[in-house]
Amino acid sequence: AQVMIIGILPTLKDFDVTAARVGIADDRLDITLEVSALASVALAVPHAADRWQIDSITVDGASGVAVGREGEGALWVPLKPGAHSVSLRGRLAAVESVQVAFPQRPHAISVSASGWDVAGVNEGRLLSGSLELTRRLAPRAGAALESGAEFPAFVRVTREFNLDIDWTLATTMRRLAPARAALSVDVPLVAGESV
């Protein structure tokens, strides 16, 4: 059952997403959020538009949760005061990459991915407000990718050497594609360079 939630939108001091656990295996994505609420609030949960079809939402192990939907697919789950575990489970579309938006960034995040590369996480922290998941292997035989599948991350790296009294090296990275998504890029050091 889906209902619109009115009048209990949260403020930053009313709740906190302390941790998130993300599990990706084959075509399944499971996310569990640990939330502490000081008042009755509506929690905006992670979403990935039409690329992740959520088929189960539980709060503290109980299913049948009332859910509100807003705008472009953002889901809201009502919570009472206290500590809660909110679990979302669903099937991923047959695409090469999926961007999962976290409306409320968790303090800590752990990701377990089988067959997928993960960008947007560094040392247990979500770098921006989203996770970028890229499939390592081709999809199963007979499952074609969507025509709107995104390309992998592409950046332009520019290095400027200054050979003045103090030698310096400035490295600049410019995102070329995708226009909006979390990404992580490894840039090797030049021989003899130290940061």
Side-chain angles (χ1 to χ4, degrees):
Q2 291 188 357
V3 296
M4 284 305 296
I5 300 166
I6 299 173
I8 57 172
L9 295 179
T11 63
L12 291 176
K13 62 184 176 184
D14 290 340
F15 76 97
D16 198 16
V17 180
T18 57
R21 290 185 310 276
V22 179
I24 310 117
D26 297 324
D27 63 347
R28 299 288 302 171
L29 172 61
D30 299 338
I31 298 177
T32 301
L33 303 173
E34 300 301 328
V35 183
S36 296
L38 297 176
S40 293
V41 296
L43 173 70
V45 297
H47 58 88
D50 61 345
R51 294 178 178 236
W52 182 33
Q53 299 301 317
I54 298 173
D55 51 36
S56 168
I57 298 177
T58 61
V59 175
D60 300 326
S63 58
V65 178
V67 175
R69 184 175 297 273
E70 176 184 62
E72 297 181 8
L75 295 176
W76 294 79
V77 175
L79 297 176
K80 295 180 179 177
H84 301 282
S85 179
V86 179
S87 296
L88 307 139
R89 291 176 169 71
R91 182 172 302 281
L92 291 169
V95 294
E96 289 183 10
S97 66
V98 176
Q99 182 180 358
V100 181
F102 283 76
Q104 279 79 35
R105 192 182 309 184
H107 289 287
I109 187 168
S110 63
V111 181
S112 170
S114 175
W116 294 79
D117 290 324
V118 179
V121 175
N122 186 14
E123 297 180 3
R125 302 267 182 199
L126 191 62
L127 298 177
S128 64
S130 64
L131 264 176
E132 181 74 21
L133 309 172
T134 307
R135 194 181 300 266
R136 271 191 224 136
L137 305 173
R140 293 181 306 268
L145 293 176
E146 284 183 1
S147 60
E150 296 173 4
F151 292 100
F154 189 70
V155 298
R156 174 178 290 148
V157 178
T158 306
R159 290 190 163 161
E160 294 181 22
F161 292 86
N162 182 359
L163 305 178
D164 204 355
I165 293 174
D166 292 325
W167 290 16
T168 59
L169 169 64
T171 302
T172 306
M173 291 184 0
R174 184 172 166 227
R175 174 196 302 256
L176 299 177
R180 294 181 357 198
L183 59 95
S184 297
V185 178
D186 291 326
V187 178
L189 297 177
V190 174
E193 179 185 8
S194 64
V195 177

